[in-house]
Amino acid sequence: MAAPCSKIVSRPWWQFIKNVGWTGLNQTVVRQLSRNNACGAAAQTKSKTERIPSQWKLHGAVCLQRLPVISQERNPIEDQFAELIHQMELERSLVSEHELRLLEDAERVRRKQAEDYDSDEEAEYGDQETITALDQEDAWEQKLKKFQLAPRVSDLEDDHQSVGRCLGDSLVLLTEETLGQEKVWLLPQVPWQAGETLRQTAERALNSLPEADFKATFLGSAPCGVYRYKLPKAVRTESCQGAKVFFFKALLSGHPPPSQNGPFRWVKKSELPDYLKPAYLEKVNRFILDL
């Protein structure tokens, strides 16, 4: 430790002050330049952001689904499985009250046919006519013959404007929109407005449908999908190249009229390729479940 200290002491005092001064000055200048560069870069980035508007318009869309009203018809494998489960439950089940009554009636008939039958044993029933379990089964058979099941296929199967079609399938609402000079089928959508969330935009898209009064329950506030498309060249500008559509899922609630007039269609998932463009269909198929 003595050698370095002696070297420092042996130096002239003005050289020592000069070295220390220049070192502090250099650090101060470097800090100041770094701050200036950082502030300049931030200001330049902010000015660029303010000068360049987005070339993509935001839209909010709603995927409104009507869930199945009745269960779908079973396939042959489901029929075999249901029959197997029914047989297993029958084998493991206990005797019901009706089956016990059938056994009692059979025992009573056996006693009447016996040679040592005593009619006093049936005195407890008096003169009242006895209704056996077989009589009840006959009455139930007559009621069953008069009962008619409601038809599974309605008269509105081919009416794509009716929400009462295809009761065993899930339906999706489509609307007809005009893009440039072309009319296309899309999920209901409207442009986003400042001051509202994208979910509020999707709700407005549903409420703005002409001649329609749909009540829906939205499933969350986060979009379930997004689709980006470019506008036709005839209407494309430098400030607007296309749109980004954010989809929100909703379920139909309440009991709307079975058939309504308007530029919309209720379609099954298997029918979507007949209405939607391939690129648009690819995005929509990701979040639509064929229940």
Side-chain angles (χ1 to χ4, degrees), residues 31-48:
R31 291 197 197 98
Q32 189 66 28
L33 290 176
S34 300
R35 292 176 183 175
N36 293 339
N37 292 335
C39 294
Q44 187 177 5
T45 304
K46 183 178 180 181
S47 62
K48 288 183 179 180

Side-chain angles (χ1 to χ4, degrees), residues 49 51-58 238-242 244:
T49 305
R51 287 197 307 266
I52 302 176
S54 176
Q55 296 181 346
W56 300 91
K57 300 297 183 181
L58 300 182
E238 295 183 358
S239 60
C240 181
Q241 295 291 324
K244 293 182 180 179

Side-chain angles (χ1 to χ4, degrees), residues 172-222:
V172 182
L173 179 65
L174 299 180
T175 58
E176 191 177 32
E177 303 287 344
T178 302
L179 295 180
Q181 298 179 353
E182 184 183 7
K183 290 186 176 182
V184 295
W185 289 97
L186 303 171
L187 298 178
Q189 68 178 42
V190 292
W192 171 79
Q193 294 180 356
E196 67 179 5
T197 63
L198 286 173
R199 169 172 168 169
Q200 292 173 344
T201 306
E203 293 175 349
R204 183 164 52 85
L206 184 61
N207 296 329
S208 61
L209 291 178
E211 301 181 11
D213 184 17
F214 298 121
K215 296 181 180 179
T217 302
F218 279 76
L219 305 180
S221 299

Side-chain angles (χ1 to χ4, degrees), residues 11-280:
R11 292 179 182 177
W13 62 269
W14 57 269
Q15 187 178 2
F16 177 77
I17 295 176
K18 180 180 178 181
N19 292 335
V20 174
W22 276 110
T23 303
L25 180 60
N26 291 335
Q27 293 179 354
T28 304
V29 172
V30 170
R31 291 197 197 98
Q32 189 66 28
L33 290 176
S34 300
R35 292 176 183 175
N36 293 339
N37 292 335
C39 294
Q44 187 177 5
T45 304
K46 183 178 180 181
S47 62
K48 288 183 179 180
T49 305
E50 293 176 351
R51 287 197 307 266
I52 302 176
S54 176
Q55 296 181 346
W56 300 91
K57 300 297 183 181
L58 300 182
H59 288 71
V62 55
C63 176
L64 181 62
Q65 285 188 264
R66 190 222 66 186
L67 296 180
V69 179
I70 60 177
S71 60
Q72 295 183 349
E73 295 185 359
R74 297 183 303 193
N75 55 42
I77 296 179
E78 293 175 339
D79 288 334
Q80 295 178 6
F81 182 76
E83 184 179 355
L84 176 62
I85 294 297
H86 176 72
Q87 184 66 25
M88 293 174 58
E89 291 180 351
L90 182 62
E91 294 176 356
R92 298 176 182 179
S93 63
L94 300 177
V95 180
S96 64
E97 294 184 359
H98 181 71
E99 291 173 328
L100 290 175
R101 188 173 179 183
L102 284 174
L103 296 176
E104 293 177 358
D105 292 343
E107 179 65 21
R108 187 180 300 109
V109 172
R110 189 189 63 79
R111 289 200 306 267
K112 287 183 178 181
Q113 294 176 352
E115 297 181 356
D116 56 347
Y117 170 70
D118 186 4
S119 58
D120 295 338
E121 295 180 359
E122 306 295 334
E124 59 184 28
Y125 297 99
D127 296 334
Q128 182 180 358
E129 183 180 359
T130 304
I131 300 178
T132 63
L134 291 177
D135 296 335
Q136 282 190 337
E137 288 185 0
D138 294 337
W140 295 338
E141 289 288 342
Q142 295 298 325
K143 289 184 178 180
L144 180 60
K145 291 179 180 180
K146 295 179 181 180
F147 180 77
Q148 294 183 354
L149 295 174
R152 294 182 59 89
V153 180
S154 65
D155 299 334
L156 305 173
E157 291 295 317
D158 297 331
D159 186 4
H160 287 69
Q161 288 185 328
S162 173
V163 72
R165 67 182 295 262
C166 302
L167 299 178
D169 300 293
S170 178
L171 300 181
V172 182
L173 179 65
L174 299 180
T175 58
E176 191 177 32
E177 303 287 344
T178 302
L179 295 180
Q181 298 179 353
E182 184 183 7
K183 290 186 176 182
V184 295
W185 289 97
L186 303 171
L187 298 178
Q189 68 178 42
V190 292
W192 171 79
Q193 294 180 356
E196 67 179 5
T197 63
L198 286 173
R199 169 172 168 169
Q200 292 173 344
T201 306
E203 293 175 349
R204 183 164 52 85
L206 184 61
N207 296 329
S208 61
L209 291 178
E211 301 181 11
D213 184 17
F214 298 121
K215 296 181 180 179
T217 302
F218 279 76
L219 305 180
S221 299
C224 59
V226 62
Y227 172 70
R228 188 180 70 171
Y229 66 92
K230 287 188 176 182
L231 296 175
K233 294 183 178 180
V235 296
R236 192 184 306 171
T237 61
E238 295 183 358
S239 60
C240 181
Q241 295 291 324
K244 293 182 180 179
V245 185
F246 295 86
F247 302 101
F248 291 82
K249 295 194 70 173
L251 299 179
L252 184 67
S253 58
H255 300 281
S259 181
Q260 294 180 339
N261 296 323
F264 52 83
R265 297 288 185 272
W266 288 99
V267 298
K268 300 185 292 185
K269 185 176 181 179
S270 59
E271 298 172 341
L272 289 176
D274 299 334
Y275 291 89
L276 303 181
K277 299 287 185 179
Y280 190 83

